[in-house]
Amino acid sequence: MNATGPVPHPYAHLASLLAAWFHQDFDLAGPTAEAVAEAYRRATRADEVARAAQDIERFLHDHAGLPPAQLGARFDSLFEPEVDPLGFAPSVEAFLRAVQRVLQAPPAPPSR
């Protein structure tokens, strides 16, 4: 906490997505990172989805060049995830890129 209150998370929208959707019961939304991200996208306002995708891009940009193990350690320290992203993908970057692709995909046409 600082003099003006708590310090905001530097990637607040991504942190919210991870905490709310990638937790111990993630499989209720789907068996893959993409399925969980799609469930999040369907349940969340488009502007929030866009901000989460932007946070992913910013996190990866801010940590570009780190070896995979160091990127994973930084991810763990910032987000304290309940589930291991390596259970979904071979690296933290691959996990985040998979989620980002779903978040940035065009909306599905309405079903008839």
Side-chain angles (χ1 to χ4, degrees), residues 2-101:
N2 64 22
T4 60
V7 176
H9 194 285
Y11 310 98
H13 301 283
L14 176 55
S16 178
L17 161 61
L18 293 169
W21 291 85
F22 288 94
H23 50 71
Q24 64 184 4
D25 294 328
F26 75 87
D27 58 335
L28 295 175
T32 65
E34 293 86 354
V36 176
E38 181 59 37
Y40 163 80
R41 188 172 88 140
R42 285 192 314 266
T44 307
R45 291 187 346 239
D47 62 316
E48 291 296 319
V49 172
R51 286 186 185 107
Q54 291 166 352
D55 275 0
I56 292 171
E57 190 60 38
R58 203 162 39 80
F59 173 80
L60 291 172
H61 177 268
D62 290 350
H63 300 89
L66 284 180
Q70 288 181 353
L71 181 66
R74 185 68 179 137
F75 178 87
D76 288 347
S77 71
L78 278 169
F79 300 106
E80 300 177 0
E82 285 189 35
V83 296
D84 185 356
L86 301 182
F88 295 103
S91 68
V92 168
E93 181 175 3
F95 165 74
L96 290 172
R97 291 289 184 204
V99 171
Q100 185 182 41
R101 277 191 299 279

